Amino acid sequence: MKENDVQGIMIKAIYEAGGEYEEGWVVNAGDRTNPRSFNWSDRPLRPREFLSLEACHINWCGYKVCYDRTFFVGGSPSDLQKEIYQTAVEMQSRFQELLKPGITTHELAEKRPRPGKNIRTIEQMKQWRAQWSNHMGGMGVAWDSAPYFYEKEDDPEIVIERNMTIAYHALFWAEGEAGGAAIENTYRITETGWESLTKWPYEEIMVLGL
C-alpha cells in the first residue's frame, strides 16, 4: 500500500461517516515524517515506520474540526520511536493543563510546550538530534476563527471563554530513520477546563498491519 492509497481510504471513510467537506489532508510515512512533508506521494509504506494522517478542516453541520494521528506500521517501535511518540503525547498533555476559561491567547503562546525548554531536557534533545514544532488556532465555521493566534508578538490578546474551540498541533521528530510523530486535537472550552472533540485515542502508539 502507498501513501496516496491511504489518503483515498481516509477521505472515503470521512465522507461515509457524515463529513460534508474536507479542505485538505496530509499523509506521510517513514523519512517523509522527518521533517514532515505536508502532502502525500506514491511512496510505499514499510514496516517499522511512522504513518501520519491529518484531516484538515473537516466540515460537519457548518462547523470545522482538525484531526491528526500518527500510527506505527507493523512490528514494534524502537526505544527512540517510543520516546518520539510519547513526547508528542506529552506536548498535548501540557497544553491541556493550560486550557481553561480566563487564560489569554498570549499566555497560551508563552506557556505552550517547547521541548528542550519547558519539557524534556536540552541533553535529551541533543542526544536524539530532535526537533519540534507546534501551532494552535481557533476553530469554528472556518479555520483561524477567533480566538486566532500563533505567536504572542504577532496576534491580538484574546481572553479564552467557554464554548470557544481551539486546535492544537504537536509535532516532534528525530534525525535518521526513527521518523516523527504528529498529534492534533480540537478542544472545546468548558466551564472549568476543556473537552476534546477529536475522540480517536492517541495516548499509546497504535500498530497497523501492512
Side-chain angles (χ1 to χ4, degrees), residues 116-185:
K117 295 184 178 181
N118 56 14
I119 67 173
R120 305 286 173 165
T121 68
I122 295 296
E123 289 72 22
Q124 286 172 312
M125 297 286 287
K126 289 180 178 178
Q127 179 183 355
W128 299 342
R129 300 191 303 278
Q131 300 182 56
W132 61 273
S133 68
N134 62 20
H135 61 266
M136 56 209 114
M139 293 292 292
V141 296
W143 168 246
D144 288 342
S145 294
Y148 163 79
F149 59 101
Y150 276 92
E151 296 290 346
K152 179 178 180 180
E153 297 81 7
D154 299 332
D155 300 309
E157 187 169 23
I158 300 172
V159 177
I160 301 299
E161 301 177 8
R162 179 175 174 267
N163 284 330
M164 285 183 173
T165 51
I166 295 173
Y168 174 69
H169 203 177
L171 302 97
F172 191 85
W173 64 93
E175 291 184 12
E177 298 180 356
I183 300 172
E184 183 177 25
N185 289 327

Side-chain angles (χ1 to χ4, degrees), residues 64-121:
K64 294 186 182 295
V65 65
C66 267
Y67 224 125
D68 201 326
R69 290 293 182 266
T70 298
F71 304 93
F72 195 76
V73 182
S76 299
S78 67
D79 289 342
L80 177 55
Q81 287 171 322
K82 292 177 183 177
E83 291 282 4
I84 291 170
Y85 189 88
Q86 286 305 313
T87 299
V89 171
E90 183 179 358
M91 291 169 72
Q92 287 289 339
S93 298
R94 294 295 186 93
F95 188 74
Q96 292 166 3
E97 293 173 0
L98 302 172
L99 286 180
K100 59 183 178 180
I103 194 170
T104 71
T105 53
H106 282 194
E107 290 176 302
L108 285 175
E110 180 180 358
K111 297 178 180 179
R112 65 193 170 120
R114 290 180 170 88
K117 295 184 178 181
N118 56 14
I119 67 173
R120 305 286 173 165
T121 68

